[in-house]
Amino acid sequence: MTISSSAHGAVEVITLSGNVMGGPDGASLQTALQSLKENDRTSVVLDLSDVQFMNSSGLGLLISGLTTLRNAGGDVRLAGVGERILSLLVITKLNHVFQRFDSVEDAIASYNA
């Protein structure tokens, strides 16, 4: 998994690509989200458009990040969720927990609505 981030006004976009499966890469994501929280950047969009696979550890990372940022008064919104990841969210009922958007732009705009 590779992780990159960019600021879009008050919203931070974190782009994930590859396989989201926890491990050392997962620790990098957790560290990035914790750093955002500490810097009061709690409006986050996770761009999953380049994610090919996600396992239960990857789902745990998403839930942990969501909990961290919601406890700080923020939120994590998902963009570019592919069919495979969407089916995983539906099976685990996490599609009712995360707000999902077709594009990063729509997800960013949702913070200003």
Side-chain angles (χ1 to χ4, degrees), residues 69-82:
L69 293 175
R70 280 193 178 166
N71 285 342
D75 198 17
V76 173
R77 298 180 185 175
L78 306 180
V81 178

Side-chain angles (χ1 to χ4, degrees), residues 6 11 22-23 25 28 31 33-34 37 48-50 52 58 60-61 65 67 73 77 90 92 100 111-112:
S6 59
V11 179
D25 291 334
S28 298
T31 300
L33 292 171
Q34 187 65 35
K37 176 189 155 197
L48 304 179
S49 56
D50 290 330
Q52 285 85 41
L61 290 171
T67 302
R77 298 180 185 175
V90 169
T92 58
R100 290 178 293 110
Y111 279 108
N112 300 319

Side-chain angles (χ1 to χ4, degrees), residues 1-4 14-30 33 46-65 78-82 84-85 88-89 98:
M1 170 175 73
T2 58
I3 303 169
S4 63
I14 298 178
T15 302
L16 305 178
S17 59
N19 297 327
V20 180
M21 303 189 331
D25 291 334
S28 298
L29 177 59
Q30 289 301 102
L33 292 171
L46 287 180
D47 179 5
L48 304 179
S49 56
D50 290 330
V51 172
Q52 285 85 41
F53 176 79
M54 183 180 297
N55 66 6
S56 59
S57 294
L59 283 175
L61 290 171
L62 297 184
I63 294 165
S64 176
L78 306 180
V81 178
R84 294 179 88 183
I85 307 305
L88 195 59
L89 293 173
F98 288 96

